[in-house]
Amino acid sequence: MVNSSRTPVLQTEALTIRFGGHVAVDRVSAAFEAGSLTAIVGPNGAGKTTYFNLISGQLPPSSGTVYLNERDISRWPVAKRARHGLGRAFQLTQLFPNLTVEENLGLVVQARHGLGHRIWTLASRQQAVRTEVESLLDTIGLTERADDFARALSHGAQRRLEVGMMLAMDPQVMMFDEPTAGMSVDEAPVLLELIHRIKNEQDRTILLVEHKLDVIRTLADRILVLHNGRLLADGEPESVMQLDVVRQAYLGELSDEEVA
Amino acid sequence: MFQSIRDTLPQSRILRGLLAVIVVSLLLAPFIFDGSRALDTAARLCIFIVLVASYDLLLGYTGVVSFAHTLFFGIGAYSVAIAFDHVAPGFGVLLVAVVVALGVSTVVAVTIGLVSLRVKAIFYAMITLAVASVATVLVSQLYLYTGGEDGMTYRIPRVLTPAFKLLDDKVLGVRINGKLLNYYLIFTVSTVLFLLMVRIVASPFGKVLKALRENDFRAEAIGYTTVYYRTAATVISACMATLAGVLMAIWLRYTGPDSVLSLNIMIDILLMVVIGGMGSLYGAIIGATLLVLARNYLNEAMGVAHNAFIDVPILAELFNPERWLLWLGVLFVVMVYFFPLGIVGRLVRGRADHG
Ligand SMILES: Nc1ncnc2c1ncn2[C@@H]1O[C@H](COP(=O)(O)OP(=O)(O)OP(=O)(O)O)[C@@H](O)[C@H]1O
Ligand SMILES: [Mg+2]
């Protein structure tokens, strides 16, 4: 990525989707640059996950455009977008439950290396894939559980594997959808620390849906506020949080301690 | 090749032992079992192991429910039958028939596979059922070529028949003739096909198939174009079934709706996969063995029991050989109750499940 600082890696233009009469995402335009971490906030049902679905391709837009590295990818299927650098960790955990933790990660790594069509090598003998999987296991702290079925993991461990599978894609754009939801109090900071490290060390474009304001303050360069599918505000964390509309629409609905 | 096969063998000792007994029995079948009936059972078993394993590739590994598997079995068998009957029983003709059969199966499988892109699993299953029925109707309509309901009997290359004698003397009490060659042809091809599938399943491609079964939404989201993989699995599975059909046609010297196309065979395949254990090719060996033996000998065993209890009114009636199907049903229910994951599933699971 030469010249990464100014041209946006990811951009949405008047992105819209309707479900019947309900407009879940309403003409959202935003651009995301390399090396930036953007927090996306908004009350339940604001359209955050739906916005992600439009970007990673699980839903087709009713109108509007998604650009990845200035190419229009609005009509691309999900798998193609993934291969071109859109990584997504889901709000509702999406694992391969009856495969081991190692196999879950191995599948992602071999997908990235384009090995999935190999029919005549043994998966267990792919040293490069194994080495990568080992380091990923270490990163998400699941080395001990490598041979367990994904479905046998605790909720928190499943959340970590969910994030690990996205990291395994080594994507240019990382979309985290409430990654710490349901994690225990000592698991969540570890994961946030990891996201922080990724942001500082690498030239990623990170989108993070997160409810906890203290987290957003420390991590985010920028905040997008969604409300009823509309983009209500977009800017630096401190200034966005001062806006009256935001305080009413979003912060006002939260408990006092989080606003403080 | 063999080193890598060892990697894929199941861990369980009991299972390895059981598999070894079955494989060795099949290898030595002509020498350790008496009579042509036993040899016939052994040959059918070899063929069904391939057929069931190829179905498991689809159902157990990829998670695709299809009822069209006998269609591909039938394409293989009828190609050979028609070629031998209408052209000549030679190996050149056989080769052409096999190539044509694989081509036809591939086209049909790709078409059906692409349908899976558009419809939900339940509709897909129904479509395959419909396609299979159409094939049955077609076979009976085109009786000029297929022999209709009666099927067709034909000659096969002479070297594969009892009329062809390699040695005048018996070896270990066994005639060394074309029939024996035929059996070993079936055994060898079946073994190679089975090992091929074992190899495929352990490959990166095989892993992707499991990913589709487990969660195709996520498989797509990490970059696998799932339709492509599902179609490829359908084609491989179909081609394996086709080759099994070719073997069946050669062995039986008869091909008809009852031998390769009927719904009963589809049901047998399903039972064998479920009893052996879905998602384990070695399960195909166990499941096929149990059911083929039951089909062939339960009848007889019950005859023995019937005679033993001939004076006990209810028991005698219960063991009436006519009721063997009932007992097969009972056997099946018991199996599913005690081994919900199939026999292999039961012996293999547990390892990765703690915590
Ligand atoms: N496939 C769909 N069909 C119909 N309506 C949908 C669909 N997906 C989302 N919606 C609706 O769109 C709106 C936005 O939902 P979305 O899941 O994007 O909210 P969110 O901001 O992610 O909320 P949360 O914080 O609860 O995760 C909701 O009203 C939801 O009911
Ligand atoms: Mg959401």
Side-chain angles (χ1 to χ4, degrees), chain A residues 19-20 22-25 42-53 59 91 177-178 209 211 226 229:
Chain A
F19 297 113
H22 178 61
V23 188
V25 172
N44 289 337
K48 305 178 296 288
T49 298
T50 307
Y51 185 53
F52 273 9
N53 281 335
L59 290 172
Q91 182 176 4
D177 200 345
E178 302 193 26
V209 173
H211 281 302
L226 284 182

